[in-house]
Amino acid sequence: MKDDAPASALSLPLIDIAGLRGADPAARRAVAAQLRQACEQRGFFYIRNHGIDQALIDQVFAASQRFFDLGMADKLAVDKKLSPCNRGYEPLRAQTLEAGAPPDLKESFYVGAEVAADDPRVLAGRFNTGPNQWPAALPDFQPVMQAYYRAARALGETVVRGLALSLDLPASHFDGYLRDAAATLRLLHYPPQPAQARPGEKGCGEHTDFGGVTLLLQDEAGGLQVWDAQQRCWIDAPPVPGAFVVNIGDLFARWTNDRYVSTLHRVINRSGRERFSVPFFFTGNLLHRVECLPTCLAPGETPRYPAVTVEQHQIECYRRTYG
């Protein structure tokens, strides 16, 4: 386990991605160059001018708080254990992301693409594919989350196309990965860090994310920390108004032969109040084959990882976390 000393004041890059959303090739290349530097050095960065309406973001946080304010009976009525595709409510201390540490001090709610139970993908047993569960006590919850899911997925596609350019590939290179892409929207609620916490207990233990890229919204409580491998310390990633935190996951690190970094991070809610955050995990087409990109191999270098499908990678990552 890493040193738990207070994080330093080092900062993460802040990238304006408006150029990726326009038609000017030079503007897209300029953003791609910033993405490349951030992904190689940090694996974490902020983005602004992302195109998602702040009013929708506010609605997501409000709906999330209303859900977590429900009584336990209402929340357990949509328990993730009732879903064959990992959708719904997950109670406090149900997940342990940091090996050897106490379970994470957080509760959550999982949303994915709405796929009917009789869809061929569900009948074929595709991982984490199927219908969502929705809380009956909150009729406005489903439309807000589905609207945000669509917006975040579109933003994820924009970021992935920018990453293609950053890797000296055509913007369309990952189109097969983006087609019918799976993704998970997760609502998170963190109680304040206990005054008498167990050794190593924290809101979210140190970990790297499983998939391609993560788009994170966080409220004003703070608490997200990112491991700085060069300085050998934790750095704060505080909320920046109007910006998302974005990070590279294990799948994209694997794809780039670790040229792009999947970085350890954790959450310790020392704010003294409730903390809410909303990560969107962009996973990709489950049947897409992932093998080392040609632009990520130096002369004489060999791939560090065998080829794998997105689905095979995700299954193995879930097995490690949930046993």
Side-chain angles (χ1 to χ4, degrees), residues 21-43:
R21 301 168 53 233
D24 182 0
R28 290 200 295 270
R29 288 195 299 270
V31 177
Q34 295 179 70
L35 291 174
R36 182 187 186 109
Q37 183 177 30
C39 292
E40 288 183 340
Q41 295 181 356
R42 293 281 196 191

Side-chain angles (χ1 to χ4, degrees), residues 32-313:
Q34 295 179 70
L35 291 174
R36 182 187 186 109
Q37 183 177 30
C39 292
E40 288 183 340
Q41 295 181 356
R42 293 281 196 191
F44 262 85
F45 50 94
Y46 297 94
I47 58 170
R48 63 182 178 186
N49 286 326
H50 45 73
I52 297 184
D53 193 339
Q54 185 62 45
L56 177 57
I57 291 171
D58 293 342
Q59 290 171 7
V60 169
F61 274 114
S64 175
Q65 184 166 349
R66 286 195 297 271
F67 173 78
F68 290 116
D69 283 344
L70 290 174
M72 188 55 68
D74 285 323
K75 290 189 284 191
L76 290 178
V78 287
D79 195 315
K80 189 162 73 77
K81 292 179 180 178
L82 303 174
S83 167
C85 54
N86 292 308
R87 307 287 176 77
Y89 175 66
E90 185 175 72
L92 282 170
R93 299 185 174 93
Q95 186 179 41
T96 304
L97 283 170
E98 182 178 328
D104 293 348
L105 191 61
K106 67 181 190 295
E107 57 179 342
S108 61
F109 188 88
Y110 290 82
V111 177
E114 190 67 52
V115 183
D118 60 355
D119 185 281
R121 291 167 290 176
V122 179
L123 297 177
R126 293 276 73 84
F127 183 64
N128 273 6
T129 303
N132 289 293
Q133 299 192 87
W134 301 106
L138 298 174
D140 295 336
F141 184 87
Q142 178 178 350
V144 168
M145 294 309 160
Q146 289 184 318
Y148 180 72
Y149 186 96
R150 291 190 295 269
R153 178 168 162 170
L155 176 57
E157 291 177 355
T158 298
V159 171
V160 168
R161 291 193 174 103
L163 292 176
L165 293 173
S166 78
L167 291 160
D168 299 320
L169 297 165
S172 61
H173 181 83
F174 294 120
D175 279 2
Y177 168 74
L178 295 175
R179 191 176 301 114
D180 295 325
T184 299
L185 167 61
R186 191 176 187 186
L187 310 177
L188 287 164
H189 167 232
Y190 298 86
Q193 181 76 358
Q196 302 297 325
R198 297 163 58 189
E201 185 175 36
K202 53 186 76 73
C204 181
E206 62 181 66
H207 66 287
T208 56
D209 288 347
F210 301 158
V213 294
T214 301
L215 312 172
L216 175 70
L217 295 172
Q218 49 180 340
D219 70 3
E220 298 175 356
L224 174 64
Q225 296 181 332
V226 177
W227 181 246
D228 186 296
Q230 292 184 337
Q231 300 292 328
R232 304 296 298 172
C233 66
W234 292 101
I235 63 173
D236 288 323
V240 173
F244 280 78
V245 176
V246 180
N247 64 281
I248 296 298
D250 297 343
L251 182 73
F252 234 96
R254 177 180 187 135
W255 220 339
T256 63
N257 223 33
D258 290 331
R259 176 173 293 184
Y260 283 9
V261 184
S262 182
T263 304
L264 284 169
H265 51 288
R266 67 184 187 181
V267 172
I268 305 178
N269 181 18
R270 296 191 176 101
S271 68
R273 58 187 179 87
E274 312 297 307
R275 177 185 190 267
F276 298 89
S277 69
V278 185
F280 185 85
F281 301 104
F282 196 97
T283 305
N285 185 306
L286 293 174
L287 299 182
H288 193 75
R289 180 180 170 90
V290 173
E291 53 189 330
C292 184
L293 295 165
T295 57
C296 295
L297 276 181
E301 189 179 11
T302 58
R304 297 181 180 185
Y305 308 98
V308 68
T309 66
V310 172
E311 183 175 51
Q312 289 167 340
H313 172 82

